[in-house]
């Protein structure tokens, strides 16, 4: 490819709308352009990167027994009504009607469609196991599309679905996919970690997310250095931590005047108490029902855990009015004492609190010396909070660490969730009818591209891992007015092409400084500069994007040197 012909519209400055580095660099270096919030055009260099990621994925999926298919993007509502997910998916689903007023959606995922296919085609154990995958656009009307390719509304995903006759088969499929994912992200040159995760709207119970470790990751993960434990904090279990007042004598309940003291911070200052001794009371609207959560003042509520305890489609903090209807007071003064007819879910740590502080359900008053066993009743005690740095590893009791991660892939054991809903059965060896066991396995292809940039860049631009770089090499003639420069560069360019190396010849009539800047910004792994030294001494300047310094290599050795680097 000649730079004069390449469609790679680089920008001088960083577009203001781009908050994170991958978004900024992919725009600036001419890889992507936005057409609507969360909807992007992939320009030629991006398309090459995506194809390389997809090729690695295909190779590993095929090795793990996958067969590629292509499922429809437009999906009929009936299938989604059969599994009940037409409603579960809520506003995230792009819905449309055809001319006959029939409901459809743009596929956010494909469990329904593929299970429908399988129930029609598979009826015997002899046809199992089956592993089918596709690489295709997905559509999700995300609440907050942002960060460029990271959270799009139209994005590319690889999704594989496994179908097995028994648990053992499902376990084999799961392990094969887990290993394939490990191979894929390793081959893409990424630093990543598989973590235990939540199964969300997809369902099932065993699941791992593959997290690329990066500061800008939206996910928080906890991990242990002394064993292999790692989990998304959404699901990381918490043990109650004692605060050392458990032996205190129980004191009489007291109401205190606390004018305009509403937040935990304010109450801590006003009453001079430890936030650990405060009971934070939160009112939620779970679908149409109001529920109450109690958690220690210094902790954060984990809504995913809450939703497991109290299953519901939507979960939002209740409004000031809804709170007042039940308690007769403002949100700053609510507490568990005297609350009736609402489910109260308390975090495990609430059980141990002695002589705690809470709102009095009366404006400008709090209660001190609140004691659970004596002063209020709860529906139950559950693990409802986020784990924190330094808490005990649930596996080995060592101290937990925390990092940010970008979820690039997830593997799920679905079990019979979809085969049951859609009645996908087969006859086993004994002629008995059984439900098919399923798994599903997704990789965000476009998100993986963004994650690769998040992990590989410097002040000058992108540093593509060589396995997914759009081109391996850029050849830069110092002056295109000098015929000897051009001739040598052209020759080298052709020799590289002959060896199957992907190379760009920067034949633009620009100053070398401009070309070097662009080469760094675009992120070619290898830069070869041809100039006076080449003409006089037969030396080419060889520079790796990952290194600061260049070396001079005799022109006849350059191709081998490049091959050697690319093949290791
Ligand atoms: P998230 O929690 O980030 O919203 P998810 O858990 O809903 O993602 P899955 O259904 O597991 O996503 O989809 C499989 C993969 O698709 C994810 O691991 C991620 O890499 C990718 N992906 C999901 N949503 C998006 C999106 N909005 N934009 C780009 N990639 C996405
Ligand atoms: Mg996921």
């Amino acid at each position: 490819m000649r730079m004069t012909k390449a469609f790679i519209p680089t920008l001088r400055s960083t577009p203001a709308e781009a908050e994170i580095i991958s978004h900024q660099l992919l725009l600036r270096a001419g890889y992507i352009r936005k057409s609507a919030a969360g909807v992007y055009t992939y320009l030629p260099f991006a398309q090459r990167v995506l194809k390389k990621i997809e090729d690695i994925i295909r190779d590993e999926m095929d090795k793990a027994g996958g067969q590629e298919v292509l499922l429809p993007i437009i999906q009929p509502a009936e299938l989604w009504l059969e599994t009940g997910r037409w409603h579960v998916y809520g506003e995230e689903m792009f819905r449309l009607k055809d001319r006959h007023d029939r409901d459809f959606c743009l596929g956010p995922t494909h469990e329904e469609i593929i299970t429908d296919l399988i129930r029609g085609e598979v009826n015997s154990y002899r046809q199992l196991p089956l592993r089918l995958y596709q690489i295709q656009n997905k559509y999700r009307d995300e609440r907050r599309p942002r960060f460029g390719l990271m959270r799009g509304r139209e994005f590319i995903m690889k999704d594989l679905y496994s179908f097995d006759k028994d648990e053992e088969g499902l376990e084999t499929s799961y392990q094969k996919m887990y290993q394939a994912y490990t191979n894929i992200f390793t081959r893409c040159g990424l630093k990543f970690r598989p973590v235990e995760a939540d199964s969300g709207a997809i369902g099932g119970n065993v699941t791992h997310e593959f997290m690329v470790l990066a500061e800008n990751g939206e996910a928080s993960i906890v991990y242990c250095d002394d064993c292999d434990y790692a989990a998304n904090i959404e699901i990381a279990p918490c043990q109650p931590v004692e605060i050392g007042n458990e032996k205190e004598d129980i004191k009489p309940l007291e109401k205190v005047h606390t004018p305009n003291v509403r937040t935990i911070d304010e109450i801590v200052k006003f009453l001079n108490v430890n936030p650990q001794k405060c009971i934070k009371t939160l009112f939620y609207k779970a679908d149409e029902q109001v529920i109450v959560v109690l958690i220690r003042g210094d902790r954060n509520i984990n809504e995913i855990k809450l939703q497991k305890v109290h299953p519901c489609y939507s979960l939002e903090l209740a409004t000031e009015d809804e709170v007042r209807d039940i308690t007769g007071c403002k949100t700053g003064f609510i507490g568990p004492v005297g609350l009736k007819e609402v489910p109260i879910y308390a975090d495990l740590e609430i059980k141990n609190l002695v002589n705690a502080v809470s709102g009095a359900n009366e404006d400008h008053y709090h209660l001190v010396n609140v004691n659970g066993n004596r002063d209020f009743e709860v529906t139950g005690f559950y693990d409802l909070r986020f784990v924190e740095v330094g808490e005990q590893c649930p596996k080995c009791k060592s101290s937990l660490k925390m990092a940010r991660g970008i979820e690039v892939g997830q593997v799920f054991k679905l079990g019979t969730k979809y085969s049951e809903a859609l009645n996908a059965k087969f006859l086993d060896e004994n002629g008995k009818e059984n439900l098919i066991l399923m798994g599903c396995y997704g990789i965000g292809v476009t998100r993986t591209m963004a994650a690769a940039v998040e992990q590989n860049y410097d002040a000058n631009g992108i540093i593509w891992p060589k396995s997914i770089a759009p081109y391996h090499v850029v050849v830069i003639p110092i002056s295109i007015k000098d015929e000897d420069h051009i001739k040598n560069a052209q020759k080298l360019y052709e020799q590289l092409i002959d060896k199957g190396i992907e190379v760009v010849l920067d034949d633009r009539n620009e100053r070398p400084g401009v070309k070097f800047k662009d080469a760094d910004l675009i992120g070619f792994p290898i830069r070869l500069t041809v100039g006076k030294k080449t003409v006089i001494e037969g030396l080419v300047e060889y520079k790796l994007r990952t290194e600061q310094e260049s070396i001079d290599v005799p022109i006849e050795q350059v191709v081998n040197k490049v091959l050697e680097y690319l093949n290791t």
Side-chain angles (χ1 to χ4, degrees), residues 429-458:
E429 291 87 335
N430 306 315
K432 193 175 151 269
E433 213 172 47
N434 289 305
L435 289 170
I436 300 178
L437 288 161
M438 290 175 56
C440 75
Y441 316 84
I443 291 181
V445 177
T446 37
R447 189 183 280 183
T448 299
M449 172 169 165
V453 177
E454 268 327 305
Q455 223 174 42
N456 300 282
Y457 69 94
D458 64 13

Side-chain angles (χ1 to χ4, degrees), residues 38 89 92 108-109 111 138 140 142 144-146 148-159 181 185 198-202 209-210 218 232 234 406-412 440-448:
Y89 243 95
E92 224 180 76
T109 177
E111 285 81 12
K138 291 280 184 282
R140 295 184 186 176
E142 299 272 357
R144 289 185 70 195
R146 57 181 184 157
L149 302 189
M150 218 51 105
R151 186 166 293 285
R153 296 196 296 166
E154 173 183 88
F155 57 96
I156 303 174
M157 196 202 285
K158 182 285 302 178
D159 41 332
Y181 275 39
F185 297 120
D198 174 54
S199 52
I202 299 272
E209 287 168 339
F210 284 73
E218 285 184 290
N232 190 316
E234 290 177 349
I406 301 167
E407 181 204 323
V408 285
Q410 186 161 14
V411 290
F412 293 91
C440 75
Y441 316 84
I443 291 181
V445 177
T446 37
R447 189 183 280 183
T448 299

Side-chain angles (χ1 to χ4, degrees), residues 279-502:
I279 298 175
K280 189 153 54 179
T281 308
L282 299 162
F283 277 55
Y284 275 93
K285 193 84 182 285
D287 296 333
E288 288 312 303
Q289 192 185 7
V290 172
I291 61 172
V292 177
V293 179
L294 308 179
I295 189 161
R296 240 169 57 182
D298 59 325
R299 300 298 197 189
N300 290 315
I301 169 90
N302 179 333
E303 294 179 358
I304 289 179
K305 290 182 178 176
L306 177 58
Q307 225 162 337
K308 288 236 165 72
V309 171
H310 186 97
C312 54
Y313 295 131
S314 80
L315 184 72
E316 277 169 30
L317 280 173
T319 62
E320 189 80 28
D321 285 346
E322 287 161 343
V323 170
R324 184 172 281 284
D325 277 351
I326 292 175
T327 63
C329 74
K330 294 186 185 144
T331 44
F333 305 98
I334 53 182
V337 181
L339 274 188
K340 293 217 170 62
E341 284 155 31
V342 275
I344 302 179
Y345 301 109
D347 182 68
L348 295 171
E349 289 183 335
I350 295 295
K351 205 174 193 167
N352 300 336
L353 287 186
V354 177
N355 301 327
V357 175
S358 80
N361 293 323
E362 185 178 335
D363 283 345
H364 310 297
Y365 284 93
H366 278 80
L367 296 173
V368 297
N369 304 329
V370 176
N371 289 283
N373 326 346
R374 181 190 64 193
D375 302 323
F376 61 89
E377 248 181 68
V378 299
T379 312
F381 292 98
Y382 305 92
D383 170 11
L384 294 173
R385 67 182 177 92
F386 282 114
V387 73
E388 290 173 20
V389 173
E391 286 191 49
Q392 276 187 0
C393 166
K395 261 196 179 165
C396 76
K397 308 276 177 249
S398 190
S399 152
L400 287 174
K401 298 200 164 138
M402 218 174 262
R404 307 289 293 176
I406 301 167
E407 181 204 323
V408 285
Q410 186 161 14
V411 290
F412 293 91
K413 273 192 192 176
L414 295 169
T416 57
K417 177 171 167 148
Y418 294 93
S419 48
E420 198 170 334
L422 294 167
N423 200 30
K425 292 182 170 162
F426 69 100
L427 292 177
D428 68 14
E429 291 87 335
N430 306 315
K432 193 175 151 269
E433 213 172 47
N434 289 305
L435 289 170
I436 300 178
L437 288 161
M438 290 175 56
C440 75
Y441 316 84
I443 291 181
V445 177
T446 37
R447 189 183 280 183
T448 299
M449 172 169 165
V453 177
E454 268 327 305
Q455 223 174 42
N456 300 282
Y457 69 94
D458 64 13
N460 300 320
I462 302 173
I463 308 176
W464 288 113
K466 55 193 173 185
S467 59
I468 60 171
Y471 288 89
H472 301 130
V473 180
V474 60
V475 175
I476 299 181
I478 290 285
S479 163
I480 69 149
K481 297 208 181 91
D482 187 317
E483 221 163 86
D484 286 333
H485 291 196
I486 273 289
K487 242 197 290 173
N488 278 294
Q490 174 85 27
K491 200 166 131 204
L492 185 57
Y493 171 65
E494 281 161 13
Q495 284 171 349
L496 289 164
I497 289 179
D498 279 348
K499 291 284 179 200
I501 294 160
E502 298 167 28

Side-chain angles (χ1 to χ4, degrees), residues 205-217:
N205 36 37
V206 177
T207 175
H208 289 86
E209 287 168 339
F210 284 73
M211 293 285 185
V212 163
L213 305 174
E215 264 169 49
N216 285 326

